Amino acid sequence: MRILRGKKIIEITSLDEWAQYGRVVVDVGTGDGRFVYKLAKADQDALFIGVDSAAQNMMEYAAKVMKKPSKGGLSNVLYVVASAESLPEELTGMADKIHINLPWGSLLEGVVKCSDEIFDSIKKVVKPTGAELEICFTYSILYETGEMNRRELPELSLDYVKGALIPAYEKKDIEVEDISIITNEVLREYGTQWAKRLGFGRARDVYRVKAFIKNGSGN
């Protein structure tokens, strides 16, 4: 498994270094990694893992966590270089909670079409007893027509989320507990550059789905 140690990518074969953490939260498609850093700073009893295929984007926060605690360093954050479609075997059966925030590209397509490739990979890292899942996503025909056409994305609406997406999730043993449209103000609280950019822009519908993955690794 490839991880960022500061600004260097290194290979590790186990997570024994972080074995003391009983609760594990994984952020898939973490982008700049600021979201997991913020969560980890607030809850230092859990391990927070940010996963993204673009190592360069995570380097600022991967370097920050290596500093002394007085300068923002944290020992309960790990940045993993991997794609959402192929999460590392070392993460198998670890996650108590999974976040997917403002996905783009193939991850966005996998979320809104409930693709086997994305969700089979995600379910692999879920604990055998299950895990919480929180997804926050948005796109609009007003601003992202090119991406919608390129990936043949459906037009987003509550009708689509409730009528097509939720039943598809349930077929994968993902029990949806809440669907909401969050405000720009709430979006900005996620803290990432992309969330802030959207949050300070024109109001748009940002969908948040809270769910529970009932069957994880080993089931």
PDB file of all heavy atoms in Angstrom, residues 156-172:
ATOM      1  N   LEU A 156     -29.758  15.492 -11.798  1.00  0.00           N
ATOM      2  CA  LEU A 156     -29.997  15.274 -10.374  1.00  0.00           C
ATOM      3  C   LEU A 156     -31.295  15.916  -9.916  1.00  0.00           C
ATOM      4  O   LEU A 156     -31.607  17.051 -10.276  1.00  0.00           O
ATOM      5  CB  LEU A 156     -28.845  15.846  -9.546  1.00  0.00           C
ATOM      6  CG  LEU A 156     -27.608  14.982  -9.372  1.00  0.00           C
ATOM      7  CD1 LEU A 156     -26.622  15.673  -8.433  1.00  0.00           C
ATOM      8  CD2 LEU A 156     -27.953  13.600  -8.832  1.00  0.00           C
ATOM      9  N   SER A 157     -32.024  15.180  -9.093  1.00  0.00           N
ATOM     10  CA  SER A 157     -33.231  15.689  -8.459  1.00  0.00           C
ATOM     11  C   SER A 157     -33.556  14.763  -7.303  1.00  0.00           C
ATOM     12  O   SER A 157     -33.046  13.636  -7.223  1.00  0.00           O
ATOM     13  CB  SER A 157     -34.407  15.707  -9.449  1.00  0.00           C
ATOM     14  OG  SER A 157     -34.755  14.372  -9.809  1.00  0.00           O
ATOM     15  N   LEU A 158     -34.406  15.221  -6.404  1.00  0.00           N
ATOM     16  CA  LEU A 158     -34.833  14.345  -5.316  1.00  0.00           C
ATOM     17  C   LEU A 158     -35.581  13.133  -5.851  1.00  0.00           C
ATOM     18  O   LEU A 158     -35.475  12.030  -5.311  1.00  0.00           O
ATOM     19  CB  LEU A 158     -35.717  15.117  -4.327  1.00  0.00           C
ATOM     20  CG  LEU A 158     -34.999  15.872  -3.210  1.00  0.00           C
ATOM     21  CD1 LEU A 158     -36.020  16.621  -2.350  1.00  0.00           C
ATOM     22  CD2 LEU A 158     -34.162  14.929  -2.352  1.00  0.00           C
ATOM     23  N   ASP A 159     -36.313  13.329  -6.932  1.00  0.00           N
ATOM     24  CA  ASP A 159     -37.038  12.213  -7.533  1.00  0.00           C
ATOM     25  C   ASP A 159     -36.068  11.140  -7.999  1.00  0.00           C
ATOM     26  O   ASP A 159     -36.320   9.938  -7.816  1.00  0.00           O
ATOM     27  CB  ASP A 159     -37.883  12.699  -8.710  1.00  0.00           C
ATOM     28  CG  ASP A 159     -39.128  13.443  -8.266  1.00  0.00           C
ATOM     29  OD1 ASP A 159     -39.508  13.303  -7.083  1.00  0.00           O
ATOM     30  OD2 ASP A 159     -39.717  14.167  -9.090  1.00  0.00           O
ATOM     31  N   TYR A 160     -34.952  11.567  -8.614  1.00  0.00           N
ATOM     32  CA  TYR A 160     -33.974  10.578  -9.071  1.00  0.00           C
ATOM     33  C   TYR A 160     -33.312   9.887  -7.883  1.00  0.00           C
ATOM     34  O   TYR A 160     -33.178   8.654  -7.862  1.00  0.00           O
ATOM     35  CB  TYR A 160     -32.893  11.226  -9.943  1.00  0.00           C
ATOM     36  CG  TYR A 160     -31.802  10.231 -10.295  1.00  0.00           C
ATOM     37  CD1 TYR A 160     -32.020   9.264 -11.267  1.00  0.00           C
ATOM     38  CD2 TYR A 160     -30.589  10.228  -9.600  1.00  0.00           C
ATOM     39  CE1 TYR A 160     -31.047   8.321 -11.568  1.00  0.00           C
ATOM     40  CE2 TYR A 160     -29.613   9.287  -9.894  1.00  0.00           C
ATOM     41  CZ  TYR A 160     -29.843   8.339 -10.871  1.00  0.00           C
ATOM     42  OH  TYR A 160     -28.888   7.395 -11.151  1.00  0.00           O
ATOM     43  N   VAL A 161     -32.900  10.672  -6.878  1.00  0.00           N
ATOM     44  CA  VAL A 161     -32.222  10.091  -5.723  1.00  0.00           C
ATOM     45  C   VAL A 161     -33.125   9.087  -5.010  1.00  0.00           C
ATOM     46  O   VAL A 161     -32.715   7.975  -4.687  1.00  0.00           O
ATOM     47  CB  VAL A 161     -31.759  11.200  -4.753  1.00  0.00           C
ATOM     48  CG1 VAL A 161     -31.179  10.600  -3.479  1.00  0.00           C
ATOM     49  CG2 VAL A 161     -30.711  12.086  -5.430  1.00  0.00           C
ATOM     50  N   LYS A 162     -34.378   9.486  -4.779  1.00  0.00           N
ATOM     51  CA  LYS A 162     -35.306   8.612  -4.046  1.00  0.00           C
ATOM     52  C   LYS A 162     -35.821   7.459  -4.916  1.00  0.00           C
ATOM     53  O   LYS A 162     -35.983   6.337  -4.430  1.00  0.00           O
ATOM     54  CB  LYS A 162     -36.482   9.431  -3.521  1.00  0.00           C
ATOM     55  CG  LYS A 162     -36.108  10.412  -2.423  1.00  0.00           C
ATOM     56  CD  LYS A 162     -37.329  11.202  -1.959  1.00  0.00           C
ATOM     57  CE  LYS A 162     -36.978  12.150  -0.821  1.00  0.00           C
ATOM     58  NZ  LYS A 162     -38.162  12.940  -0.363  1.00  0.00           N
ATOM     59  N   GLY A 163     -36.076   7.744  -6.178  1.00  0.00           N
ATOM     60  CA  GLY A 163     -36.729   6.752  -7.014  1.00  0.00           C
ATOM     61  C   GLY A 163     -35.806   5.759  -7.684  1.00  0.00           C
ATOM     62  O   GLY A 163     -36.200   4.625  -7.965  1.00  0.00           O
ATOM     63  N   ALA A 164     -34.564   6.169  -7.958  1.00  0.00           N
ATOM     64  CA  ALA A 164     -33.644   5.294  -8.683  1.00  0.00           C
ATOM     65  C   ALA A 164     -32.400   4.948  -7.871  1.00  0.00           C
ATOM     66  O   ALA A 164     -32.007   3.779  -7.796  1.00  0.00           O
ATOM     67  CB  ALA A 164     -33.233   5.952 -10.001  1.00  0.00           C
ATOM     68  N   LEU A 165     -31.801   5.951  -7.280  1.00  0.00           N
ATOM     69  CA  LEU A 165     -30.523   5.709  -6.612  1.00  0.00           C
ATOM     70  C   LEU A 165     -30.673   4.929  -5.313  1.00  0.00           C
ATOM     71  O   LEU A 165     -29.935   3.966  -5.062  1.00  0.00           O
ATOM     72  CB  LEU A 165     -29.829   7.048  -6.351  1.00  0.00           C
ATOM     73  CG  LEU A 165     -28.372   6.979  -5.895  1.00  0.00           C
ATOM     74  CD1 LEU A 165     -27.529   6.194  -6.897  1.00  0.00           C
ATOM     75  CD2 LEU A 165     -27.802   8.380  -5.716  1.00  0.00           C
ATOM     76  N   ILE A 166     -31.633   5.319  -4.479  1.00  0.00           N
ATOM     77  CA  ILE A 166     -31.803   4.654  -3.184  1.00  0.00           C
ATOM     78  C   ILE A 166     -32.147   3.174  -3.348  1.00  0.00           C
ATOM     79  O   ILE A 166     -31.544   2.314  -2.672  1.00  0.00           O
ATOM     80  CB  ILE A 166     -32.849   5.388  -2.332  1.00  0.00           C
ATOM     81  CG1 ILE A 166     -32.413   6.841  -2.081  1.00  0.00           C
ATOM     82  CG2 ILE A 166     -33.062   4.649  -1.009  1.00  0.00           C
ATOM     83  CD1 ILE A 166     -30.967   7.035  -1.666  1.00  0.00           C
ATOM     84  N   PRO A 167     -33.082   2.808  -4.231  1.00  0.00           N
ATOM     85  CA  PRO A 167     -33.337   1.376  -4.446  1.00  0.00           C
ATOM     86  C   PRO A 167     -32.092   0.618  -4.920  1.00  0.00           C
ATOM     87  O   PRO A 167     -31.884  -0.540  -4.544  1.00  0.00           O
ATOM     88  CB  PRO A 167     -34.435   1.368  -5.519  1.00  0.00           C
ATOM     89  CG  PRO A 167     -35.139   2.672  -5.331  1.00  0.00           C
ATOM     90  CD  PRO A 167     -34.065   3.640  -4.965  1.00  0.00           C
ATOM     91  N   ALA A 168     -31.259   1.268  -5.737  1.00  0.00           N
ATOM     92  CA  ALA A 168     -30.030   0.624  -6.209  1.00  0.00           C
ATOM     93  C   ALA A 168     -29.067   0.394  -5.054  1.00  0.00           C
ATOM     94  O   ALA A 168     -28.415  -0.653  -4.961  1.00  0.00           O
ATOM     95  CB  ALA A 168     -29.374   1.480  -7.285  1.00  0.00           C
ATOM     96  N   TYR A 169     -28.977   1.381  -4.153  1.00  0.00           N
ATOM     97  CA  TYR A 169     -28.130   1.225  -2.967  1.00  0.00           C
ATOM     98  C   TYR A 169     -28.634   0.065  -2.099  1.00  0.00           C
ATOM     99  O   TYR A 169     -27.843  -0.730  -1.588  1.00  0.00           O
ATOM    100  CB  TYR A 169     -28.124   2.503  -2.136  1.00  0.00           C
ATOM    101  CG  TYR A 169     -27.250   3.622  -2.669  1.00  0.00           C
ATOM    102  CD1 TYR A 169     -26.555   3.493  -3.868  1.00  0.00           C
ATOM    103  CD2 TYR A 169     -27.124   4.815  -1.975  1.00  0.00           C
ATOM    104  CE1 TYR A 169     -25.767   4.519  -4.350  1.00  0.00           C
ATOM    105  CE2 TYR A 169     -26.317   5.849  -2.448  1.00  0.00           C
ATOM    106  CZ  TYR A 169     -25.642   5.690  -3.641  1.00  0.00           C
ATOM    107  OH  TYR A 169     -24.855   6.710  -4.100  1.00  0.00           O
ATOM    108  N   GLU A 170     -29.934   0.008  -1.927  1.00  0.00           N
ATOM    109  CA  GLU A 170     -30.497  -1.022  -1.041  1.00  0.00           C
ATOM    110  C   GLU A 170     -30.225  -2.427  -1.562  1.00  0.00           C
ATOM    111  O   GLU A 170     -30.064  -3.369  -0.790  1.00  0.00           O
ATOM    112  CB  GLU A 170     -31.992  -0.770  -0.862  1.00  0.00           C
ATOM    113  CG  GLU A 170     -32.276   0.475  -0.020  1.00  0.00           C
ATOM    114  CD  GLU A 170     -33.745   0.828   0.089  1.00  0.00           C
ATOM    115  OE1 GLU A 170     -34.545   0.256  -0.700  1.00  0.00           O
ATOM    116  OE2 GLU A 170     -34.094   1.660   0.939  1.00  0.00           O
ATOM    117  N   LYS A 171     -30.120  -2.570  -2.880  1.00  0.00           N
ATOM    118  CA  LYS A 171     -29.786  -3.877  -3.449  1.00  0.00           C
ATOM    119  C   LYS A 171     -28.361  -4.291  -3.098  1.00  0.00           C
ATOM    120  O   LYS A 171     -28.017  -5.479  -3.182  1.00  0.00           O
ATOM    121  CB  LYS A 171     -29.970  -3.842  -4.973  1.00  0.00           C
ATOM    122  CG  LYS A 171     -31.423  -3.807  -5.411  1.00  0.00           C
ATOM    123  CD  LYS A 171     -31.533  -3.803  -6.925  1.00  0.00           C
ATOM    124  CE  LYS A 171     -32.993  -3.766  -7.359  1.00  0.00           C
ATOM    125  NZ  LYS A 171     -33.126  -3.737  -8.836  1.00  0.00           N
ATOM    126  N   LYS A 172     -27.548  -3.312  -2.716  1.00  0.00           N
ATOM    127  CA  LYS A 172     -26.166  -3.599  -2.321  1.00  0.00           C
ATOM    128  C   LYS A 172     -26.009  -3.633  -0.796  1.00  0.00           C
ATOM    129  O   LYS A 172     -24.913  -3.465  -0.268  1.00  0.00           O
ATOM    130  CB  LYS A 172     -25.221  -2.560  -2.929  1.00  0.00           C
ATOM    131  CG  LYS A 172     -25.128  -2.636  -4.443  1.00  0.00           C
ATOM    132  CD  LYS A 172     -24.067  -1.708  -4.963  1.00  0.00           C
ATOM    133  CE  LYS A 172     -23.952  -1.818  -6.483  1.00  0.00           C
ATOM    134  NZ  LYS A 172     -23.559  -3.172  -6.919  1.00  0.00           N
TER     135      LYS A 172
END
